[in-house]
Amino acid sequence: IILSDTNITNSLLDTQVKFDRFLKLQFLNLSYNHIEFINESYFKLNRELITLDLSHNKIIEIEHFTFDLKPKLINLDLSYNN
């Protein structure tokens, strides 16, 4: 899923944009948005995730254990954040 440059904020991630139902999700691009922190619950059920691009946001905090249950996660891009 490519959601790059779509003005996604933490408020949207907390209330409207949910990835839980995409259990087989392997690629997610959330680059160039306005995300400031990563909550452990955002990707909790996405255990098939291989690539996650969070670059070019405003991330200042990532909760502990956010990526613990992601054995297939190979590409995690956090570049160009705060």
Side-chain angles (χ1 to χ4, degrees):
I1 299 176
I2 299 175
L3 297 173
S4 184
D5 202 16
T6 52
N7 290 317
I8 292 177
T9 64
N10 282 97
S11 295
L12 285 172
L13 286 174
D14 288 335
T15 59
Q16 297 174 6
V17 180
K18 300 289 184 181
F19 300 106
D20 323 22
R21 60 184 172 193
F22 302 108
L23 298 178
K24 300 289 185 185
L25 182 67
Q26 294 183 333
F27 176 83
L28 180 57
N29 185 337
L30 293 170
S31 63
Y32 293 93
N33 282 294
H34 303 282
I35 302 168
E36 295 180 355
F37 62 90
I38 303 299
N39 187 309
E40 182 180 341
S41 66
Y42 292 166
F43 314 112
K44 189 169 189 149
L45 298 177
N46 305 113
R47 295 185 177 173
E48 299 296 315
L49 205 56
I50 295 171
T51 298
L52 177 58
D53 188 346
L54 296 166
S55 64
H56 299 274
N57 276 282
K58 299 175 180 182
I59 299 172
I60 57 172
E61 183 179 348
I62 299 172
E63 282 191 353
H64 293 295
F65 311 114
T66 299
F67 304 115
D68 272 10
L69 296 174
K70 309 289 173 287
K72 297 182 179 183
L73 186 62
I74 297 171
N75 302 307
L76 174 61
D77 191 347
L78 296 168
S79 60
Y80 300 99
N81 278 285
N82 291 343

